[in-house]
Amino acid sequence: AEGANMPSDPGAIAIYKGIDGGFFIPAKAANAGGVAVSGLEMAQNSQRVEWKREEVDSKLQGIMKHIFTTIRDTAKDLGKVGDYQLGANAAGFKKVADAMLAQGQVL
């Protein structure tokens, strides 16, 4: 998994994907935890509540599992089982496209 914001060029990604038993999860998915925790903090603030660390961690684990499941299933649906880069890109595109359509934006 990328640990920074897209530090790997296409050549490096090809190497990661070519490692026996290895796979590549792009930063947009692997690093989503920081953004998710910020969202959880905003939810706490707006509700004027304070969650214990264990509750925040449980919610974060659920979010990250959902992200992984979504990118895994999207790659599978596109006939590219295990291509988490494709799954993350396609799932992200679909989410934005669906939101645009819901708001009446038609291309």
Side-chain angles (χ1 to χ4, degrees):
E2 268 187 328
N5 291 324
M6 299 176 62
S8 303
D9 66 18
I13 293 168
I15 292 171
Y16 302 150
K17 288 180 174 182
I19 295 171
D20 187 33
F23 55 88
F24 174 73
I25 297 178
K28 70 183 80 178
N31 294 341
V35 175
V37 169
S38 293
L40 294 172
E41 289 173 350
M42 288 190 293
Q44 288 180 87
N45 291 338
S46 69
Q47 296 172 39
R48 300 197 184 335
V49 297
E50 185 175 326
W51 297 325
K52 295 196 179 301
R53 182 174 102 43
E54 295 80 14
E55 186 172 356
V56 173
D57 190 53
S58 175
K59 290 177 185 294
L60 176 59
Q61 286 185 33
I63 291 166
M64 295 305 290
K65 286 177 184 176
H66 176 72
I67 290 169
F68 178 79
T69 300
T70 299
I71 65 175
R72 180 199 64 205
D73 293 351
T74 301
K76 181 180 175 188
D77 291 346
L78 295 172
K80 298 286 188 174
V81 174
D83 190 340
Y84 302 117
Q85 182 180 19
L86 172 66
N89 289 337
F93 177 85
K94 183 179 182 318
K95 189 167 191 162
V96 171
D98 288 347
M100 290 174 66
L101 290 171
Q103 295 297 315
Q105 298 290 327
V106 180
L107 302 175

